[in-house]
Amino acid sequence: MTHDPLSRRGFLVAIQLAAGGLALGLVPAPGLAAEPSGRVGEKPSHADPAEEKTAPGLNPNPLVHVGLDGVVTIVCARSEMGQGVRSSLPVLISDELGADFARVRIVQADGHPRYGDQNTDGSSSVRSFFDELRLAGATARVMLVAAAARRWKVAPASCTTRDSLVVHVPTGRTFGFGELSAEASKLPVPKPSKVALRPRAELAHLGGSPPLVDGPAVVTGAALFGADLRLADMLVAVIARPPVVGGKLVRFDATAALGVPGVRHVLAMPTPKAPFAFQPWGGVAVLADDTWAALRGREALVVEWDSGENATYDSATFRDVLLASVRAPGVPLRNVGDVDAALASAAQVIEAEYHVPHLAQMPMEPPAAIARVAGGRCEIWAPTQNPQAARTDVAKLLGIPEDDVVVHVTLLGGGFGRKSKADFVAEAAFLAREAGVPVRVQWTRTDDIQHGYYNTVNTQRLVAGLDAAGTVVAWHQRTAFPPIGATFGPQDVPGLDDLQQGVLDLALAAPNVRAEACAAEAHVRIGWYRSVYNIFHAFASGSFIDEIAHARGQDPRDTWLDVIGPARILSLQDLGVEKLTNYGASLETHPVDAGRLRHVIERVTQLSNWSQRVGAGRALGLAAHRSFLSYTGSVVSVVRDPRNKVRVDEAWIVMDAGTVVNADRVHAQLQGSVAMGISNALFGGITMKAGATQQTNFHDARFARIGDVPRQIHVEIVPSEGPPCGVGEPGVPPVGPAIANAVFALTGERVREMPLLPALRG
């Protein structure tokens, strides 16, 4: 591992040390010259946690090891990309175990099935593993207590653990964890049914703000991301990819590229076959001693492409295709009552059509991966959200067993769903094999924007029928978008899994409801993006409810509550759906709860002083949404700046996410959600012409900058002891419609298409 002495990180480390600041300890790690240790307050180790299996001490499961020295090693099996998962998950285990967190060592898991699902996506790290993580810590606790009780010849029930000690409560006698770990390791591992979890009151950090494990390393520049690692004899590769997905290489001339000093190889990449899934895009790779030489070599390539059948894709004309799709009947996936009859007899009918373009994740760290292939084995270092998928895809591409592929997970400089896909990892593995030396594949910002997996484009048509009293008696919604499933096989009509995101689980009091999925063919790679389909479904329904309020001449807040209806749990029959995949959770544990949605609306409007929503040169907008099992309400204030441009001035966001493990990280996630919601609503949009993406960098693929972010973002977390829900994604969806509704309140102009700013500025 080396650092460029003129790099930002090198500069930060130098001034920190010069000032007598934090110095991080270093220990060896596989394949690297040195690696920071994993003590709390330092950067966690990337050493293979499987090595803990052979270390003496207690190792009752893949996540926990208690050493003879009393140090507790906790494995984090999820990827850290700024959300604080390496703080939240280990703290939960540590509290259940009763460990002194200052004596906890945190290790990042490699990709392997022994850890269960490692895909850090879908806001699932806490909600899906809350009890399992507690059980991992509790199992170790039970075994340590049993060992101590045998020594003392007392009942285990008379003992407890705290501060890495087993304590005999009646006498105050103690044993340190290290004194018991060898003896405890010889005991049988108890079955889960025999392990009791602590009362929640004993989980010292639950709902608090535990130490941010990676904070010091990130602040000082010592943290290692995917592109920071160096291996001996490593080459850097950049790839010229076909401009259009599915395009093929016709020919290339590498003469000039090979003449660039430092360029060592020019290699053709494999040509992917549909369905493209997570395969590399194809093209021509330039391998060089450093990134600059590789980029210059790529510029010197002469390449001819066959763009293929997707060369006809034009996002402007495809908008009309989607519009035609939602103006025709689709596949009904939700049905209550008789919508057609209710609309025919309604005193007033309101109609609106909404459009949201493709969106690109654009994490601050573009994709990068290092691979070393030797002796029939492959070793990977990558900022991946899904190391197991990377392992599978690399093994398939190289034609070797998965057990011969090791994927080490580095820190991620953002992900938002982009790094769940393993294409960039597979590229590195292929080139390392072909070149016979370690290779780092480096994507540029332009590569990332033009060759990624986009959030899908969407058009919706909503129709509501009101009776003479203004009550909504009918709700009809059609949505058309190329589904993610099209990336993996033929699919042009969204299904139940797709419409569960904000359509099938939308709480409505109307006695007549129908929702239909309409056809749309994919012409780009569609993938996950933070909050996925909820972005456009919330934009449409949240804007439409505001339109209903205007038509009724009523306060939008009151209309929201009327449309949702009274507090109640909605059954499948109430919703009018055959089934609800419900983000992988049971409806018994996580029902569709209109009361929780109402509460976040009531609370966020109270916090924002909603009664003063218009005046003094500003206006407020409101929206709310259920996604990833959480309920979020958002109010934003928009103003005209000195140049007469609309901007978001202040924001309030309230979330009911059930039990919260790490309140500090939830606050940060919600603040980030507001910034990302502003980016989507005001600036977002990826467009294609002749099948190729038109945007190239941050100058034409905008997101919110510091001047675009509100001067204040107010966050409130609803106190709850309910089951944990998602956090990372559900804060985003209501922000966009809240902005659109505030813009209407300020300007009187209803904008039904994102991004909003082009329409507002003419």
Side-chain angles (χ1 to χ4, degrees):
M1 178 184 67
T2 61
H3 287 288
D4 179 348
L6 297 180
S7 70
R8 177 182 63 85
R9 288 179 178 81
F11 175 74
L12 286 170
V13 171
I15 62 172
Q16 184 76 4
L17 293 176
L22 176 68
L24 300 181
L26 300 178
V27 298
L32 302 179
E35 180 78 316
S37 73
R39 301 287 182 174
V40 171
E42 301 174 357
K43 183 184 173 297
S45 170
H46 288 284
D48 183 357
E51 294 176 359
E52 302 296 337
K53 289 276 187 185
T54 61
L58 175 61
N59 202 153
N61 54 63
L63 299 179
V64 179
H65 175 266
V66 182
L68 300 182
D69 58 358
V71 172
V72 175
T73 298
I74 295 177
V75 176
C76 181
R78 289 293 177 116
S79 301
E80 177 61 69
M81 48 189 164
Q83 81 281 36
V85 72
R86 292 210 295 213
S87 301
S88 303
L89 302 189
V91 161
L92 194 58
I93 295 174
S94 175
D95 279 1
E96 189 65 58
L97 172 57
D100 176 359
F101 201 49
R103 302 197 68 202
V104 170
R105 174 176 178 258
I106 299 170
V107 175
Q108 182 66 46
D110 292 339
H112 199 279
R114 62 175 162 261
Y115 301 115
D117 179 12
Q118 290 180 262
N119 187 16
T120 312
D121 211 337
S123 297
S124 61
S125 292
V126 171
R127 69 176 174 88
S128 295
F129 297 99
F130 182 75
D131 290 332
E132 291 183 31
L133 294 170
R134 294 183 65 191
L135 182 63
T139 300
R141 168 172 50 80
V142 167
M143 296 177 73
L144 291 167
V145 165
R150 288 177 63 173
R151 286 199 192 182
W152 287 321
K153 294 182 173 54
V154 299
S158 66
C159 303
T160 188
T161 59
R162 63 171 180 264
D163 300 326
S164 292
L165 300 170
V166 177
V167 181
H168 182 230
V169 176
T171 64
R173 289 178 292 178
T174 64
F175 282 124
F177 281 3
E179 298 176 82
L180 299 167
S181 59
E183 185 175 345
S185 69
K186 299 174 183 177
L187 300 175
V189 178
K191 295 180 179 179
S193 59
K194 300 296 184 181
V195 177
L197 301 179
R198 290 181 183 273
R200 288 197 178 195
E202 295 183 11
L203 300 176
H205 295 92
L206 186 65
S209 298
L212 184 59
V213 172
D214 294 294
V218 171
V219 170
T220 61
L224 298 179
F225 297 83
D228 292 327
L229 307 180
R230 302 288 187 273
L231 272 64
D233 302 321
M234 185 183 78
L235 296 178
V236 178
V238 297
I239 301 172
R241 300 173 180 85
V244 181
V245 67
K248 298 179 181 179
L249 175 66
V250 175
R251 67 174 189 88
F252 70 96
D253 184 344
T255 305
L258 289 168
V260 173
V263 171
R264 303 300 176 189
H265 306 282
V266 176
L267 301 172
M269 297 295 295
T271 299
K273 297 180 180 179
F276 301 117
F278 298 156
Q279 298 176 71
W281 191 293
V284 182
V286 177
L287 286 69
D289 295 336
D290 54 52
T291 307
W292 177 240
L295 289 170
R296 290 181 61 211
R298 184 171 67 173
E299 291 173 0
L301 282 173
V302 177
V303 186
E304 181 182 344
W305 307 108
D306 175 1
S307 293
E309 60 185 19
N310 288 319
T312 60
Y313 184 48
D314 185 305
S315 52
T317 58
F318 193 68
R319 183 183 183 282
D320 297 330
V321 173
L322 291 175
L323 197 57
S325 185
V326 297
R327 289 175 178 174
V331 177
L333 296 177
R334 179 177 183 180
N335 193 59
V336 178
D338 189 336
V339 165
D340 294 333
L343 289 174
S345 61
Q348 183 179 7
V349 174
I350 303 168
E351 304 178 41
E353 293 168 336
Y354 301 90
H355 181 75
V356 174
H358 291 294
L359 297 170
Q361 297 90 353
M362 297 190 296
M364 291 306 294
E365 174 201 34
I370 297 172
R372 177 169 57 198
V373 179
R377 294 176 58 82
C378 179
E379 194 168 12
I380 299 284
W381 292 262
T384 171
Q385 292 177 244
N386 194 347
Q388 291 168 338
R391 187 170 179 254
T392 298
D393 287 0
V394 166
K396 182 177 180 181
L397 185 146
L398 298 182
I400 62 177
E402 284 193 35
D403 286 345
D404 290 333
V405 179
V406 177
V407 177
H408 304 296
V409 182
T410 70
L411 288 174
L412 284 68
F416 310 117
R418 171 61 185 98
K419 294 171 187 172
S420 290
K421 296 85 174 171
D423 56 324
F424 64 100
V425 182
E427 288 175 337
F430 172 80
L431 291 172
R433 182 188 67 181
E434 297 301 297
V437 296
V439 171
R440 186 186 90 219
V441 164
Q442 180 64 61
W443 287 50
T444 66
R445 176 64 55 203
T446 301
D447 294 336
D448 182 41
I449 291 173
Q450 296 195 326
H451 303 298
Y453 294 78
Y454 305 108
N455 198 49
T456 192
V457 59
N458 171 261
T459 296
Q460 292 176 72
R461 177 175 173 80
L462 280 81
V463 183
L466 280 59
D467 64 15
T471 301
V472 177
V473 294
W475 179 285
H476 186 198
Q477 185 169 1
R478 288 179 180 154
T479 181
F481 55 92
I484 292 172
T487 301
F488 305 99
Q491 184 184 355
D492 61 0
V493 178
L496 283 168
D497 287 359
D498 303 311
L499 264 66
Q500 78 150 4
Q501 296 188 27
V503 176
L504 303 185
D505 62 345
L506 178 61
L508 295 168
N512 305 282
V513 177
R514 187 164 74 237
E516 301 170 25
C518 302
E521 185 177 356
H523 296 280
V524 298
R525 296 195 296 187
I526 305 298
W528 300 284
Y529 177 93
R530 188 181 187 183
S531 76
V532 208
Y533 308 138
N534 286 291
I535 291 173
F536 47 73
H537 286 149
F539 178 68
S541 61
S543 298
F544 192 55
I545 290 172
D546 198 81
E547 296 205 41
I548 293 172
H550 180 68
R552 296 169 64 176
Q554 188 184 35
D555 181 342
R557 173 188 176 277
D558 296 338
T559 297
W560 269 94
L561 298 178
D562 288 348
V563 168
I564 294 168
R568 67 203 185 283
I569 301 298
L570 285 87
S571 66
L572 291 178
Q573 183 177 0
D574 295 330
L575 293 169
V577 300
E578 176 186 337
K579 66 176 182 178
L580 198 64
T581 53
N582 205 36
Y583 302 95
S586 72
L587 280 169
E588 290 72 24
T589 304
H590 290 279
V592 178
D593 190 334
R596 294 174 73 182
L597 189 60
R598 290 179 62 93
H599 178 71
V600 295
I601 292 172
E602 292 165 345
R603 186 62 188 145
V604 77
T605 51
Q606 181 182 1
L607 289 174
S608 60
N609 195 16
W610 180 254
S611 61
Q612 304 298 319
R613 60 188 178 277
V614 179
R618 70 157 195 168
L620 302 183
L622 164 69
H625 194 66
R626 176 191 190 263
S627 67
F628 299 92
L629 311 176
S630 290
Y631 300 80
T632 310
S634 177
V635 169
V636 299
S637 165
V638 299
V639 298
R640 292 278 192 185
D641 68 16
R643 295 173 295 174
N644 203 36
K645 295 179 179 178
V646 174
R647 70 177 185 88
V648 179
D649 174 62
E650 196 168 1
W652 297 261
I653 190 164
V654 173
M655 177 180 283
D656 179 351
T659 293
V660 165
V661 172
N662 189 330
D664 178 70
R665 292 297 87 201
V666 175
H667 273 266
Q669 289 273 28
L670 291 176
Q671 290 171 333
S673 294
V674 171
M676 195 164 191
I678 292 170
S679 296
N680 292 339
L682 297 184
F683 311 111
I686 297 295
T687 58
M688 290 79 184
K689 192 79 172 177
T693 299
Q694 294 180 285
Q695 288 72 28
T696 62
N697 213 310
F698 289 145
H699 69 285
D700 55 4
R702 273 287 309 274
F703 61 81
R705 300 169 184 168
I706 193 167
D708 304 311
V709 176
R711 58 186 176 85
Q712 285 186 291
I713 301 175
H714 309 273
V715 174
E716 181 169 289
I717 303 168
V718 175
S720 174
E721 294 189 0
C725 309
V727 167
E729 299 177 83
V732 176
V735 175
I739 294 172
N741 296 336
V743 166
F744 174 75
L746 180 70
T747 67
E749 184 173 356
R750 182 70 68 181
V751 184
R752 301 188 178 99
E753 183 168 347
M754 288 176 22
L756 306 177
L757 283 189
L760 294 172
R761 295 175 180 177

